[in-house]
Amino acid sequence: MEAAGERSLPEPGSQDSRAGDDIEIVVNVGGVRQVLYGDLLSQYPETRLAELMGCLAGGYDTIFSLCDDYDPGKREFYFDRDPDAFKCVIEVYYFGEVHMKKGICPICFKNEMDFWKVDLKFLDDCCKSHLSEKREELEEIARRVQLILDDLGVDSAEGRWRRCQKCVWKFLEKPESSCPARVVAVLSFLLILISSVVMCMGTIPELQVLDADGNRVEHPTLENVETACIGWFTLEYLLRLFSSPNKLHFALSFMNIVDVLAILPFYVSLTLTHLGARMMELTNVQQAVQALRIMRIARIFKLARHSSGLQTLTYALKRSFKELGLLLMYLAVGIFVFSALGYTMEQSHPETLFKSIPQSFWWAIITMTTVGYGDIYPKTTLGKLNAAISFLCGVIAIALPIHPIINNFVRYYNKQRVLETAAKHELELMELNSSGAGEGKVGCSRSDLDSLPPEPVGEEGPSWSSRLKISHSDTFIPLLTEEKHHRTRLQSCK
């Protein structure tokens, strides 16, 4: 007997098929039965569950456009959806917001919300961040797959120059594309190391020679080695620039700017050496050349192009700006406080080394960072006590933000490995699907279903219709229209 004040859904197509706040809706989602009431569902009339209250007036066609199956005897709607996600989605009717449970794929949960016609604005902000992160991962996987497909594909409609440009770009930018490309990448890596070593050896006095004016200059052999390395770097950069598909993006890329800074000082200093003496004094030319030689240290950053570990470290530091700022703020406050205290406490000593507070900054920096050169040190008892406290505070201030920075590095490194593996699996799946499409089609059409033999009547066990591998998105309801209650494999399994 129905409870007072409540009424269940009427028969489909009857005159009493109208929505009301006291209607009781029974839904079965993935085998989980749930009873909902009209007063809750009417709060959001644009959702799928709210549309169930008025769907019976349109008959079975309207019913099956909203659900997978309907049992008139039990007045129960059946949905072949994820029951765990459904439990989260119906929270919108009770609390006005939706929270995604831990362990549910954010993209799948978004698809569930789209199916139940619940707007994403009801999803809580904490869950939206997970959805955005997962969406970015999928976009990154799609980008990597597209890059691999672009490398593998050859468009016959392209001209010879365009094909040659693609080959040069892949040869220089994708070491994994071929064995010669890998050899070139290793050679470039070795030349970077050699040029860095030559730059350091050129400063050793025993390896320097005297010029006509009696000044020490680099050995000619080291200069020749450096010239050869710079020639290779220049040729490599020009080839990559001419073969780049987007030259503006290439020129503004950080690593390419590093490449320019690594080779530009050589040509500027060469120009100043041969032409600058005519326009300015020789002393000024030598000073400018020495200043430009310092910029040669930028070539060591070229190693990041060939090292995924350095690239990961760079991205991890970029994602840890907040923690790094917190570290610098801790140190800045501590340096100011302890340098002022150290200067004040050391003024009573006649041979104090703390001449001013700005000079004490250096002492506070080397003390809080646990370096302690010993050039400036306290001599009074209070000054030594202040130094001990600043040392302990420096250890704590440095240790606190380090853990989040390490976590960001590990998380980003693991994420890159997962994305790389996912891209490879996606390519393998595409190759498998393409080979399967060549051998035979997957699934079945309406004609294939009609050609199946009729089901035996009265035989126990699941029928062939309940064993069909048809998903919730393509369930073929018209196939079962001759059955009395329009039962599908969902009710058969139940």
Side-chain angles (χ1 to χ4, degrees), residues 213 215 273 276-277 280-287:
D213 298 330
N215 298 322
T273 302
M280 61 182 72
E281 297 180 0
L282 182 60
T283 304
N284 296 333
V285 172
Q286 292 177 348
Q287 292 177 354

Side-chain angles (χ1 to χ4, degrees), residues 407-448:
N407 285 341
N408 288 338
F409 176 81
V410 174
R411 187 183 302 112
Y412 185 82
Y413 181 74
N414 292 334
K415 180 180 178 181
Q416 293 302 310
R417 295 185 61 184
V418 169
L419 292 178
E420 183 178 356
T421 305
K424 293 180 179 178
H425 289 174
E426 185 70 19
L427 287 173
E428 293 175 357
L429 182 61
M430 293 173 63
E431 183 179 359
L432 181 62
N433 290 337
S434 62
S435 62
E439 297 176 0
K441 57 184 179 179
V442 179
C444 54
S445 62
R446 172 62 187 270
S447 59
D448 299 329

Side-chain angles (χ1 to χ4, degrees), residues 240-253:
R240 292 172 55 243
L241 175 62
F242 291 143
S243 61
S244 172
N246 190 342
K247 293 178 174 52
L248 179 61
H249 181 268
F250 177 88
L252 297 179
S253 177

